[in-house]
Amino acid sequence: PMAMAAIRIRLPLRPTSRTRRPLPDSSLAAGTTQFVKVAGWVLLSTDTVLTCAHVVGAADRPVLVDLVGAPGSESVPARVDTAGWVPESGDQLSGLGGDLALLRLDRPQPPGRATMLRRLSPTWDRPVRMYGFPEGLDQGIYLRGRLAGGIGGDGRVQIFPEEAAEVVRPGFSGAGVTDQQTGQVIGIVVNAYLGQGLRLSFMIPTETVIRHLPGVRQRTEGDSVVDRELVSTSTEPAEEPAFAAWLAGWLRGGDDAPAVDAALVEPADRARNLTLRRALTQADRELSTTTGRAPVTPGGNPDTVPPVGSLDLAIDVGRQTPTELAERICRRMGVEGAPDRPAVERLATVALPLTIVVHGVDRAPEPARLDELLGLLGEQGSRLLLVFHTAPAETRDTAVAALRLRHRIGRLSRGLDTTAELKRRFRDRRRQVSTTDLDRATGALTTISFLRRSLSRLRREASAADRTAARLHAAHDELDDYERLPRSAASRLEAALTRLDALVVRRNELRGRLGAAQARARAANGEEDLQLARLYAAAHDLLWRAPCDVAAAETAVLRYLAAVTDRGDEPPAGVVTR
């Protein structure tokens, strides 16, 4: 909404050399000199505004709120809600946190000017935009960026500027961060870092806002990360420290953490159940009660605490169908689509770099369809932790091997997808020009076709009802031989394209030279004789034939140029050629 994107505040300041102009408003403290300072806000309801605490500066400081661009709007006095003041805490080493404030407007605004916050997974490279009020631009400007993952212990998210100049600056703190895909606000700008060649922005995502300001939940859309049945309210130390450390390590990710893994948590095992639920709760930005690597409770081990924000979904699949699960993931990712288009089809068209804990795999009401959905999630890039209740080790190993295979197939398929444009350009160039040294490139096309057929076959094996762990491990061994093939094929196509592009350039140069020589001959003699015409026709035919044999065409063009030169054909005086 326009009102959300164009809210700014004005604060009373002491005059300085950098002050721009006085603030002609008597609604603030009388007897003070008033000046303009501008920053961003989000209007959450008719009388509630969300911003950063550092923008206001002090909980007892009065401010004015402008709804820039809203018809008939006037500056509205506002003050900090005493229950909505969360000053910045922490440090650069452990990570900064808090820095939030809720303000109450003296005069409520029309309901249509307010906006809702949206829970959405802040996945890597997701495009966003921000609207703020840098100094000198009272009507505000947009900046674009891409999310770059969580940082620190409070769940903040880094934003890369779309262009180097689009890093946030004073006047953007507190502004809404709008997801480009859904058009909804998924957090607020908090600060920027400029130095050592870096230009970065940072946001406080919706779930972190809710953790500090629980009342904001009423103005929030989107599903929670952790199913209610999997939330922990216990404050006891981890009953199984080794299991807790393993969970934290998997959620933390990194090169050593597998993309897919499994755990056995029997319903009667109270200690293991509490340990699992605590890990899921602490990994959720909205529910976590810890910061950074601090222990969950006094005397706890920090290695058992997962990073805040390291979990995108924790779902009990024994209580929902695969269709319901797919719809939930679509909402979590903001994947829109026609209502009559199945959610699984929508998910198959997007990258899904999510971390998902799937609880109760062996109690799913539709195991075959769940297996199909999990395979799709793995292939589209999701990390999956399968939690079984009673399944034997062989069943767990087979499920993990199948999903790891699908994950690897997806990675290889994406590598092949990068060759699609190279293939298109290569085939286009081959239609234009020909050369005899393309064996390596045509071999690359054969390799790509072979890989696609092989991946389709391995995908079927991963999903087969009679799959076994042994057969799946053999399929993994086969994939080992394919890992480098997409990159090798792309390299060979790029080398061939370099040669073909050079031939196209040379062909175009020869066309220009042939046309210029013909113009010279006609300008000198009024027309060409029969021999020159034959030489010209031969060269012209070779140059415009597809594919063009550039070497043969060049020989024909040079023969024609030599004939024109031998005749001494020069334009008569006064004739201008182009």
Side-chain angles (χ1 to χ4, degrees):
M2 180 60 188
M4 175 281 302
I7 296 175
R8 70 182 182 190
I9 68 166
R10 293 184 282 170
L11 305 172
L13 301 176
R14 289 177 297 179
T16 69
S17 59
R18 300 182 63 184
T19 297
R20 289 295 183 183
R21 55 186 172 85
L23 173 63
D25 194 292
S26 59
S27 58
L28 299 181
T32 63
T33 304
Q34 299 161 2
F35 296 89
V36 173
K37 179 182 179 181
V38 174
W41 304 71
V42 175
L43 183 65
L44 291 181
S45 65
T46 58
D47 66 347
T48 305
V49 166
L50 170 68
T51 190
C52 292
H54 79 262
V55 171
V56 181
D60 59 352
R61 193 176 195 182
V63 299
L64 286 178
V65 173
D66 296 332
L67 275 74
V68 180
S73 65
E74 297 179 351
S75 298
V76 182
R79 295 183 182 275
V80 174
D81 185 328
T82 55
W85 179 253
V86 186
E88 188 172 67
S89 59
D91 53 42
Q92 295 294 338
L93 181 61
S94 63
L96 299 174
D99 199 359
L100 292 163
L102 288 178
L103 282 76
R104 300 296 178 186
L105 303 178
D106 285 1
R107 296 192 302 273
Q109 299 300 301
R113 293 179 180 175
T115 192
M116 300 281 286
L117 296 181
R118 168 72 182 269
R119 294 183 183 94
L120 197 93
S121 287
T123 51
W124 184 273
D125 208 36
R126 192 172 186 101
V128 296
R129 65 179 183 271
M130 300 147 281
Y131 194 92
F133 301 90
E135 186 176 7
L137 291 170
D138 288 351
Q139 292 302 308
I141 59 170
Y142 281 106
L143 297 179
R144 303 165 303 158
R146 290 184 175 270
L147 302 185
I151 55 98
D154 198 44
R156 293 184 180 185
V157 175
Q158 180 179 318
I159 304 175
F160 282 125
E162 193 72 52
E163 302 289 343
E166 294 186 273
V167 68
V168 301
R169 61 211 65 193
F172 277 84
S173 293
V177 178
T178 302
D179 175 56
Q180 292 275 45
Q181 184 173 329
T182 63
Q184 294 181 292
V185 182
I186 61 173
I188 63 172
V189 176
V190 62
N191 58 12
Y193 175 80
L194 306 177
Q196 302 183 39
L198 298 174
R199 302 174 64 84
L200 308 172
S201 310
F202 301 92
M203 65 173 273
I204 303 175
T206 294
E207 279 118 330
T208 300
V209 174
I210 295 172
R211 171 155 51 91
H212 290 293
L213 301 170
V216 172
R217 185 177 287 110
Q218 300 174 3
R219 297 294 301 167
T220 301
E221 298 176 320
D223 297 328
S224 298
V225 167
V226 182
D227 274 357
R228 184 178 304 176
E229 297 81 6
L230 301 178
V231 173
S232 171
T233 58
S234 172
T235 58
E236 300 175 25
E239 286 78 1
E240 284 200 30
F243 182 49
W246 180 84
L247 285 170
W250 187 86
L251 287 166
R252 192 173 296 116
D255 295 338
D256 296 334
V260 181
D261 220 324
L264 179 66
V265 181
E266 297 177 344
D269 190 337
R270 179 180 179 276
R272 182 158 279 221
N273 271 283
L274 286 176
T275 301
L276 173 66
R277 283 167 168 75
R278 183 178 297 106
L280 301 182
T281 302
Q282 297 297 344
D284 181 8
R285 290 181 173 90
E286 185 172 338
L287 301 175
S288 181
T289 58
T290 188
T291 300
R293 294 174 57 82
V296 182
T297 56
N301 180 355
D303 289 338
T304 66
V305 183
V308 177
S310 57
L311 179 65
D312 291 290
L313 275 177
I315 43 187
D316 188 344
V317 294
R319 298 174 181 269
Q320 54 195 303
T321 67
T323 298
E324 292 170 334
L325 172 56
E327 290 286 358
R328 184 169 173 183
I329 294 171
C330 281
R331 292 193 297 270
R332 185 68 190 164
M333 286 294 293
V335 178
E336 309 291 344
D340 59 344
R341 188 183 182 195
V344 172
E345 290 185 10
R346 282 180 270 151
L347 292 176
T349 64
V350 297
L352 299 171
L354 303 172
T355 297
I356 304 176
V357 174
V358 187
H359 187 267
V361 176
D362 47 351
R363 294 193 176 182
E366 302 176 49
R369 292 186 59 213
L370 176 63
D371 186 71
E372 178 185 348
L373 175 60
L374 295 180
L376 172 64
L377 295 176
E379 195 161 327
Q380 296 297 96
S382 291
R383 300 181 68 238
L384 300 166
L385 178 60
L386 310 181
V387 179
F388 292 86
H389 287 179
T390 58
E394 183 179 359
T395 299
R396 301 196 303 269
D397 290 346
T398 300
V400 168
L403 289 178
R404 286 181 181 174
L405 185 63
R406 291 292 296 272
H407 197 279
R408 294 182 68 189
I409 288 171
R411 189 169 63 248
L412 268 174
S413 293
R414 288 188 290 276
L416 287 178
D417 289 342
T418 63
T419 66
E421 175 62 15
L422 293 174
K423 286 171 57 180
R424 187 198 65 76
R425 287 178 52 206
F426 177 74
R427 287 168 174 163
D428 175 68
R429 293 294 184 267
R430 285 192 66 182
R431 286 191 291 268
Q432 297 183 54
V433 294
S434 64
T435 183
T436 59
D437 57 348
L438 295 178
D439 290 347
R440 287 174 56 80
T442 54
L445 295 180
T446 301
T447 297
I448 291 170
S449 297
F450 164 77
L451 276 177
R452 292 206 180 276
R453 292 193 302 271
S454 298
L455 293 182
S456 295
R457 172 176 51 79
L458 292 174
R459 186 181 291 112
R460 291 192 297 271
E461 290 187 16
S463 304
D466 61 345
R467 66 194 181 191
T468 64
R471 285 170 53 188
L472 291 169
H473 289 315
H476 277 281
D477 292 341
E478 184 178 345
L479 273 186
D480 290 341
D481 297 330
Y482 300 157
E483 291 284 357
R484 297 181 181 179
L485 292 182
R487 185 179 301 175
S488 173
S491 177
R492 284 181 281 170
L493 286 174
E494 287 169 349
L497 276 169
T498 299
R499 296 193 298 274
L500 291 171
D501 286 343
L503 289 173
V504 170
V505 170
R506 182 57 178 160
R507 181 204 64 184
N508 293 341
E509 290 174 350
L510 291 170
R511 285 178 175 180
R513 293 186 65 185
L514 181 66
Q518 184 192 41
R520 281 178 51 202
R522 287 179 173 174
N525 302 314
E527 60 181 16
E528 290 181 284
D529 61 29
L530 185 58
Q531 182 183 1
L532 283 180
R534 288 173 176 168
L535 292 173
Y536 173 83
H540 185 278
D541 179 63
L542 288 169
L543 282 173
W544 267 265
R545 181 182 301 169
C548 172
D549 183 338
V550 178
E554 182 166 10
T555 299
V557 169
L558 293 176
R559 187 179 296 119
Y560 177 75
L561 294 178
V564 171
T565 302
D566 288 346
R567 291 172 184 270
D569 292 328
E570 294 294 339
V575 176
V576 177
T577 62
R578 296 186 181 184

